[in-house]
Amino acid sequence: CKDLAFWEAFLDMLAKNRFNAVSLWNNHPFPYMIRAKNYPKATPFNEEELAEWQQFYKTLFKMAKERGLETYLINWNIVVSTEFAENYGSKEYFDRSELVEKYTRESVTQLINEYDDLTGFGTTLADWMGNWGDEKMTPEEREEWIKVTIVEGIKNADRKVKFIHRAVLSGDPKLMRAVID
């Protein structure tokens, strides 16, 4: 994953074949990319290890931009790192607390501010938003969570970025479309 020679060849292939975007999907990308200002123990990495990850991502996004490719991070909700859960007293999955909302919102803002060549951020309303067990979120509740975390985090950033909003793949698609609209 961190082999930039691989990524250089991959990005060259994308550009040669007239692709225009690269999306990187992760259930929770923040610990690999930032040390959250208000939640420094959310990442498992020491300063040197985190600096290596940050250099990797900054180089990757720069290489993509040089080839005319947009870069997007897409995260799966609602998830935090094991380290965040252990150090700040939350659940790792499906924790709808104000703590996790605040952490997510601030992490989105910080990520955008620290990665100038990142084109945009995306999210999905599925997966860890109560798709199993007794706890379920309605499409409206899912959308509200996205608004107060991801959308507000993007709005709070120092620059504008593009936003990818992936809809729920389960449930009533007409209702989901209405909620997004």
Side-chain angles (χ1 to χ4, degrees):
C1 169
K2 287 171 61 176
D3 182 355
L4 287 170
F6 162 81
W7 284 102
E8 182 176 28
F10 182 72
L11 297 172
D12 286 345
M13 181 276 302
L14 292 177
K16 180 180 175 186
N17 288 286
R18 299 181 183 216
F19 284 87
N20 63 1
V22 176
S23 61
L24 304 173
W25 296 62
N26 188 312
N27 66 342
H28 191 69
F30 307 112
Y32 291 88
M33 303 182 78
I34 64 168
R35 182 168 311 280
K37 289 177 181 141
N38 292 318
Y39 307 95
K41 295 178 183 176
T43 181
F45 304 114
N46 64 36
E47 291 303 318
E48 183 179 319
E49 293 166 328
L50 183 58
E52 287 177 18
W53 277 109
Q54 291 172 319
Q55 184 60 43
F56 164 76
Y57 280 110
K58 287 180 180 186
T59 302
L60 175 62
F61 297 156
K62 181 179 180 195
M63 290 182 350
K65 187 174 184 178
E66 289 169 348
R67 289 159 177 77
L69 299 164
E70 296 184 343
T71 51
Y72 296 89
L73 288 176
I74 315 290
N75 85 317
W76 302 85
N77 292 293
I78 300 172
V79 183
V80 297
S81 66
T82 302
E83 291 75 18
F84 179 89
E86 290 173 356
N87 289 301
Y88 299 101
S90 76
K91 295 187 296 185
E92 195 169 339
Y93 294 93
F94 196 58
D95 185 332
R96 296 166 62 187
S97 68
E98 287 183 35
L99 171 71
V100 172
E101 285 182 3
K102 184 175 184 274
Y103 164 70
T104 302
R105 182 174 45 255
E106 290 178 7
S107 293
V108 169
T109 301
Q110 186 176 339
L111 180 84
I112 292 167
N113 289 344
E114 290 186 18
Y115 288 86
D116 295 333
D117 292 326
L118 177 65
T119 307
F121 194 85
T123 194
T124 181
L125 298 179
D127 300 282
W128 294 292
M129 295 186 89
N131 282 354
W132 62 84
D134 294 333
E135 295 187 74
K136 303 272 189 221
M137 290 177 81
T138 66
E140 294 86 357
E141 289 172 323
R142 292 171 190 229
E143 187 62 25
E144 183 60 26
W145 197 88
I146 295 301
K147 284 181 189 176
V148 301
T149 57
I150 308 301
V151 173
E152 283 303 312
I154 290 170
K155 286 180 178 179
N156 293 337
D158 294 337
R159 65 185 180 92
K160 292 185 178 198
V161 296
K162 294 182 179 182
F163 177 54
I164 295 176
H165 191 303
R166 181 175 173 260
V168 171
L169 298 177
S170 62
D172 183 348
K174 288 182 184 175
L175 179 57
M176 194 66 251
R177 181 74 253 163
V179 169
I180 291 173
D181 288 344

